[in-house]
Amino acid sequence: MRAIRVLSAALLTLGLAAAPAAADSSPSPSASADGKAPTQAGTSFRTAAEMDQGRTATASASTGDYLYWSFPADTGQRPTVKATVKLPGTHAAQTWQLDVYDGLRRHQSCQYGAATRTAEQGTATVELACVLRTVRAWSEPWANDPLPGTYYIRLTVLNLGSADLGLPVRAEVRADSKNIGGAAAVDGSLGKPLVPGIAVKSDAEKDGSKSAVLSAIEPDDGWSSHWWSSRWVWTAVGGVLAALAGIGGYALTRGRGRPAYVPPGA
Protein backbone atom coordinates (compact mmCIF):
# COMPACT_ATOMS: atom_id res chain seq x y z
CA MET A 1 0.00 0.00 0.00
CA ARG A 2 2.86 2.34 0.76
CA ALA A 3 4.31 1.77 -2.72
CA ILE A 4 0.92 2.60 -4.28
CA ARG A 5 0.74 5.87 -2.32
CA VAL A 6 4.24 6.82 -3.44
CA LEU A 7 3.41 6.03 -7.07
CA SER A 8 0.18 8.08 -6.88
CA ALA A 9 2.07 11.06 -5.48
CA ALA A 10 4.63 10.83 -8.28
CA LEU A 11 1.95 10.75 -10.96
CA LEU A 12 0.20 13.75 -9.39
CA THR A 13 3.47 15.69 -9.33
CA LEU A 14 4.11 14.82 -12.98
CA GLY A 15 0.62 15.96 -14.00
CA LEU A 16 0.91 19.31 -12.21
CA ALA A 17 4.33 19.97 -13.70
CA ALA A 18 3.26 19.06 -17.21
CA ALA A 19 0.48 21.65 -17.23
CA PRO A 20 2.65 24.76 -17.71
CA ALA A 21 4.86 22.92 -20.18
CA ALA A 22 1.83 22.00 -22.28
CA ALA A 23 0.75 25.63 -22.21
CA ASP A 24 4.13 26.67 -23.63
CA SER A 25 3.59 24.53 -26.72
CA SER A 26 0.28 26.16 -27.61
CA PRO A 27 0.11 28.87 -30.30
CA SER A 28 0.68 32.40 -29.07
CA PRO A 29 -2.49 34.47 -28.55
CA SER A 30 -3.67 36.97 -31.15
CA ALA A 31 -3.24 40.69 -30.80
CA SER A 32 -5.61 42.55 -28.51
CA ALA A 33 -9.07 43.25 -29.81
CA ASP A 34 -8.55 47.02 -29.71
CA GLY A 35 -5.49 46.84 -31.98
CA LYS A 36 -5.80 47.65 -35.65
CA ALA A 37 -3.89 46.15 -38.55
CA PRO A 38 -2.19 48.67 -40.86
CA THR A 39 -3.78 49.33 -44.23
CA GLN A 40 -0.63 50.59 -45.90
CA ALA A 41 3.02 49.52 -46.02
CA GLY A 42 6.25 51.41 -45.58
CA THR A 43 8.84 51.89 -48.30
CA SER A 44 11.96 51.30 -46.18
CA PHE A 45 13.09 49.85 -42.84
CA ARG A 46 12.61 53.18 -41.10
CA THR A 47 9.06 53.65 -42.41
CA ALA A 48 7.94 50.02 -42.02
CA ALA A 49 4.28 49.76 -40.98
CA GLU A 50 3.99 48.31 -37.47
CA MET A 51 1.70 45.29 -37.09
CA ASP A 52 0.83 42.92 -34.26
CA GLN A 53 1.08 39.18 -34.57
CA GLY A 54 -2.20 37.47 -35.31
CA ARG A 55 -3.57 40.28 -37.50
CA THR A 56 -3.60 40.66 -41.28
CA ALA A 57 -2.05 43.84 -42.65
CA THR A 58 -3.07 45.06 -46.10
CA ALA A 59 -1.63 47.51 -48.58
CA SER A 60 -2.41 48.78 -52.07
CA ALA A 61 0.71 49.46 -54.13
CA SER A 62 2.19 49.46 -57.61
CA THR A 63 4.19 46.64 -59.11
CA GLY A 64 7.85 47.35 -58.51
CA ASP A 65 7.40 48.97 -55.07
CA TYR A 66 9.25 47.70 -52.01
CA LEU A 67 6.75 47.04 -49.22
CA TYR A 68 7.85 46.91 -45.56
CA TRP A 69 6.12 45.86 -42.33
CA SER A 70 7.48 45.18 -38.83
CA PHE A 71 6.27 42.99 -35.95
CA PRO A 72 7.63 41.93 -32.53
CA ALA A 73 8.88 38.40 -31.81
CA ASP A 74 9.96 37.24 -28.36
CA THR A 75 12.11 34.49 -26.91
CA GLY A 76 10.85 30.96 -27.56
CA GLN A 77 8.61 31.92 -30.46
CA ARG A 78 8.85 30.41 -33.94
CA PRO A 79 7.38 33.06 -36.28
CA THR A 80 5.58 32.18 -39.50
CA VAL A 81 5.13 34.98 -42.04
CA LYS A 82 2.64 34.63 -44.89
CA ALA A 83 1.92 37.01 -47.75
CA THR A 84 -0.71 37.01 -50.49
CA VAL A 85 -0.40 39.29 -53.52
CA LYS A 86 -3.45 39.92 -55.70
CA LEU A 87 -2.32 40.71 -59.23
CA PRO A 88 -4.07 42.63 -62.03
CA GLY A 89 -6.04 40.73 -64.63
CA THR A 90 -3.39 41.15 -67.33
CA HIS A 91 0.30 40.76 -66.57
CA ALA A 92 3.37 38.85 -67.70
CA ALA A 93 5.15 36.27 -65.57
CA GLN A 94 6.28 37.80 -62.28
CA THR A 95 8.52 36.46 -59.49
CA TRP A 96 7.66 37.70 -55.99
CA GLN A 97 9.90 37.36 -52.95
CA LEU A 98 9.29 37.57 -49.19
CA ASP A 99 12.27 38.48 -46.98
CA VAL A 100 12.44 38.71 -43.17
CA TYR A 101 15.09 40.65 -41.24
CA ASP A 102 15.75 40.87 -37.49
CA GLY A 103 16.28 43.99 -35.37
CA LEU A 104 19.87 44.28 -36.59
CA ARG A 105 18.59 44.10 -40.19
CA ARG A 106 20.25 40.75 -40.69
CA HIS A 107 18.48 38.58 -43.22
CA GLN A 108 16.90 35.54 -41.56
CA SER A 109 16.71 32.33 -43.55
CA CYS A 110 13.52 30.28 -43.67
CA GLN A 111 13.37 26.80 -42.16
CA TYR A 112 10.81 25.92 -44.77
CA GLY A 113 8.14 27.57 -46.89
CA ALA A 114 8.04 29.09 -50.36
CA ALA A 115 9.54 32.56 -49.88
CA THR A 116 9.98 33.05 -53.65
CA ARG A 117 7.33 32.16 -56.21
CA THR A 118 6.63 32.92 -59.86
CA ALA A 119 3.15 33.93 -60.96
CA GLU A 120 2.63 32.87 -64.52
CA GLN A 121 0.89 35.10 -67.03
CA GLY A 122 -2.73 35.69 -66.05
CA THR A 123 -2.39 34.25 -62.52
CA ALA A 124 -4.69 36.11 -60.14
CA THR A 125 -2.78 35.64 -56.87
CA VAL A 126 0.56 34.45 -55.57
CA GLU A 127 1.07 33.15 -52.01
CA LEU A 128 4.36 33.21 -50.11
CA ALA A 129 5.35 31.79 -46.72
CA CYS A 130 8.44 31.75 -44.50
CA VAL A 131 8.81 29.79 -41.24
CA LEU A 132 11.72 31.23 -39.27
CA ARG A 133 13.92 29.51 -36.74
CA THR A 134 13.00 29.72 -33.05
CA VAL A 135 13.89 33.05 -31.45
CA ARG A 136 16.71 32.56 -28.94
CA ALA A 137 17.26 34.49 -25.72
CA TRP A 138 21.00 34.77 -26.33
CA SER A 139 23.53 34.10 -29.07
CA GLU A 140 27.21 34.44 -29.89
CA PRO A 141 28.12 37.77 -31.54
CA TRP A 142 29.30 36.02 -34.70
CA ALA A 143 26.15 33.91 -35.07
CA ASN A 144 23.10 34.81 -37.14
CA ASP A 145 20.57 33.34 -34.73
CA PRO A 146 17.19 35.11 -34.48
CA LEU A 147 16.99 37.18 -31.28
CA PRO A 148 14.04 38.86 -29.51
CA GLY A 149 13.01 42.23 -30.87
CA THR A 150 11.56 43.82 -33.99
CA TYR A 151 11.37 41.81 -37.21
CA TYR A 152 10.97 43.38 -40.64
CA ILE A 153 9.05 41.94 -43.58
CA ARG A 154 9.96 43.01 -47.11
CA LEU A 155 7.78 42.08 -50.08
CA THR A 156 8.90 42.86 -53.61
CA VAL A 157 8.86 41.58 -57.18
CA LEU A 158 11.97 40.39 -59.06
CA ASN A 159 12.83 40.48 -62.76
CA LEU A 160 9.92 42.75 -63.62
CA GLY A 161 9.25 43.56 -67.24
CA SER A 162 8.82 47.21 -68.22
CA ALA A 163 5.26 46.56 -69.44
CA ASP A 164 4.16 45.52 -65.91
CA LEU A 165 5.92 48.32 -64.05
CA GLY A 166 3.43 50.40 -62.09
CA LEU A 167 0.44 48.05 -62.40
CA PRO A 168 -1.78 48.09 -59.28
CA VAL A 169 -1.47 45.20 -56.82
CA ARG A 170 -2.90 44.48 -53.38
CA ALA A 171 -0.89 42.69 -50.68
CA GLU A 172 -1.93 40.94 -47.47
CA VAL A 173 0.65 40.01 -44.83
CA ARG A 174 0.23 38.11 -41.57
CA ALA A 175 2.66 36.97 -38.86
CA ASP A 176 1.92 34.25 -36.31
CA SER A 177 4.10 32.37 -33.84
CA LYS A 178 4.18 29.03 -32.10
CA ASN A 179 5.63 29.04 -28.59
CA ILE A 180 8.33 26.36 -28.40
CA GLY A 181 8.99 26.83 -24.65
CA GLY A 182 11.79 25.16 -22.73
CA ALA A 183 12.87 23.05 -25.69
CA ALA A 184 14.59 26.14 -27.08
CA ALA A 185 15.79 27.62 -23.76
CA VAL A 186 19.44 28.64 -23.46
CA ASP A 187 21.57 29.85 -20.56
CA GLY A 188 21.74 33.59 -21.05
CA SER A 189 19.64 36.54 -22.19
CA LEU A 190 19.94 39.90 -23.89
CA GLY A 191 20.02 43.04 -21.81
CA LYS A 192 17.42 44.61 -24.10
CA PRO A 193 15.42 43.30 -27.09
CA LEU A 194 16.63 44.36 -30.54
CA VAL A 195 14.14 47.19 -31.00
CA PRO A 196 15.30 50.33 -32.87
CA GLY A 197 15.65 53.23 -30.46
CA ILE A 198 15.26 51.23 -27.24
CA ALA A 199 18.72 52.28 -26.00
CA VAL A 200 17.77 55.94 -26.49
CA LYS A 201 14.52 55.32 -24.64
CA SER A 202 16.32 53.73 -21.68
CA ASP A 203 18.68 56.70 -21.35
CA ALA A 204 15.76 59.08 -21.54
CA GLU A 205 13.94 57.25 -18.73
CA LYS A 206 17.03 57.56 -16.52
CA ASP A 207 17.31 61.29 -17.20
CA GLY A 208 13.59 61.86 -16.80
CA SER A 209 13.32 63.33 -20.27
CA LYS A 210 11.28 62.29 -23.28
CA SER A 211 12.81 60.99 -26.48
CA ALA A 212 11.47 59.56 -29.69
CA VAL A 213 11.62 55.79 -30.19
CA LEU A 214 11.78 54.41 -33.71
CA SER A 215 9.63 51.39 -32.85
CA ALA A 216 6.97 51.16 -30.16
CA ILE A 217 5.64 47.67 -30.83
CA GLU A 218 6.08 44.86 -28.33
CA PRO A 219 4.31 41.58 -27.41
CA ASP A 220 0.98 41.87 -25.58
CA ASP A 221 2.48 40.56 -22.32
CA GLY A 222 5.74 42.52 -22.67
CA TRP A 223 9.26 41.34 -23.41
CA SER A 224 10.41 38.29 -21.47
CA SER A 225 13.53 39.02 -19.41
CA HIS A 226 13.27 36.34 -16.73
CA TRP A 227 15.23 33.12 -16.36
CA TRP A 228 12.15 30.90 -15.97
CA SER A 229 11.23 28.31 -18.62
CA SER A 230 9.46 24.96 -18.70
CA ARG A 231 12.89 23.33 -18.85
CA TRP A 232 13.17 23.90 -15.08
CA VAL A 233 9.86 22.10 -14.56
CA TRP A 234 10.97 19.00 -16.43
CA THR A 235 14.35 19.07 -14.67
CA ALA A 236 12.58 19.06 -11.28
CA VAL A 237 10.22 16.30 -12.40
CA GLY A 238 13.17 14.22 -13.57
CA GLY A 239 14.86 14.64 -10.19
CA VAL A 240 11.71 13.59 -8.33
CA LEU A 241 11.22 10.52 -10.52
CA ALA A 242 14.88 9.53 -10.10
CA ALA A 243 14.56 9.75 -6.31
CA LEU A 244 11.37 7.70 -6.34
CA ALA A 245 13.00 5.11 -8.58
CA GLY A 246 15.89 4.82 -6.10
CA ILE A 247 13.51 4.38 -3.17
CA GLY A 248 11.46 1.79 -5.06
CA GLY A 249 14.58 -0.13 -6.11
CA TYR A 250 15.84 -0.20 -2.53
CA ALA A 251 12.46 -1.41 -1.26
CA LEU A 252 12.41 -4.26 -3.79
CA THR A 253 16.00 -5.44 -3.30
CA ARG A 254 16.59 -5.07 0.43
CA GLY A 255 16.83 -8.26 2.54
CA ARG A 256 14.25 -9.35 5.07
CA GLY A 257 16.84 -9.34 7.86
CA ARG A 258 17.37 -11.93 10.60
CA PRO A 259 14.30 -13.72 11.95
CA ALA A 260 13.37 -12.97 15.54
CA TYR A 261 14.94 -15.29 18.16
CA VAL A 262 12.54 -17.99 19.28
CA PRO A 263 13.48 -19.74 22.55
CA PRO A 264 13.52 -23.58 22.44
CA GLY A 265 10.27 -25.17 23.40
CA ALA A 266 8.31 -22.01 22.89
Side-chain angles (χ1 to χ4, degrees):
M1 294 296 294
R2 182 178 180 182
I4 295 177
R5 289 196 297 270
V6 172
L7 180 60
S8 300
L11 293 176
L12 178 60
T13 303
L14 179 62
L16 293 176
D24 284 342
S25 62
S26 60
S28 57
S30 302
S32 57
D34 56 352
K36 294 183 179 180
T39 56
Q40 59 182 3
T43 57
S44 67
F45 286 103
R46 292 182 61 87
T47 61
E50 297 179 354
M51 54 181 284
D52 292 325
Q53 291 194 35
R55 292 194 174 272
T56 301
T58 59
S60 297
S62 299
T63 308
D65 291 344
Y66 283 82
L67 307 179
Y68 287 83
W69 295 267
S70 63
F71 68 94
D74 206 357
T75 302
Q77 293 185 340
R78 180 182 294 166
T80 298
V81 180
K82 296 182 179 180
T84 301
V85 183
K86 298 180 180 179
L87 305 174
T90 303
H91 64 84
Q94 299 179 2
T95 300
W96 286 82
Q97 182 167 301
L98 177 68
D99 296 299
V100 182
Y101 300 83
D102 66 4
L104 297 178
R105 300 185 185 179
R106 302 176 303 177
H107 185 267
Q108 293 295 317
S109 58
C110 305
Q111 277 191 317
Y112 48 88
T116 302
R117 275 189 171 176
T118 299
E120 300 298 335
Q121 183 176 1
T123 304
T125 60
V126 58
E127 297 182 353
L128 308 169
C130 177
V131 180
L132 300 176
R133 294 171 295 168
T134 303
V135 178
R136 295 165 54 89
W138 176 84
S139 177
E140 295 288 350
W142 46 262
N144 194 37
D145 297 319
L147 296 170
T150 300
Y151 280 75
Y152 296 94
I153 304 171
R154 185 178 71 181
L155 181 64
T156 187
V157 62
L158 308 176
N159 302 326
L160 182 65
S162 58
D164 289 341
L165 185 63
L167 291 179
V169 295
R170 183 168 180 81
E172 297 180 357
V173 173
R174 181 183 178 94
D176 295 284
S177 288
K178 178 180 180 181
N179 286 329
I180 305 303
V186 295
D187 295 328
S189 62
L190 293 179
K192 294 290 184 180
L194 301 178
V195 176
I198 193 169
V200 178
K201 179 181 179 182
S202 300
D203 294 339
E205 290 175 349
K206 293 178 183 179
D207 299 338
S209 59
K210 295 182 180 180
S211 179
V213 179
L214 298 182
S215 179
I217 55 175
E218 64 178 28
D220 293 338
D221 53 354
W223 297 105
S224 63
S225 59
H226 49 74
W227 54 268
W228 172 258
S229 72
S230 60
R231 183 178 63 172
W232 291 97
V233 175
W234 291 111
T235 301
V237 171
V240 172
L241 293 180
L244 293 176
I247 296 173
Y250 173 76
L252 293 174
T253 58
R254 68 176 180 173
R256 294 180 177 274
R258 293 182 179 181
Y261 174 74
V262 179

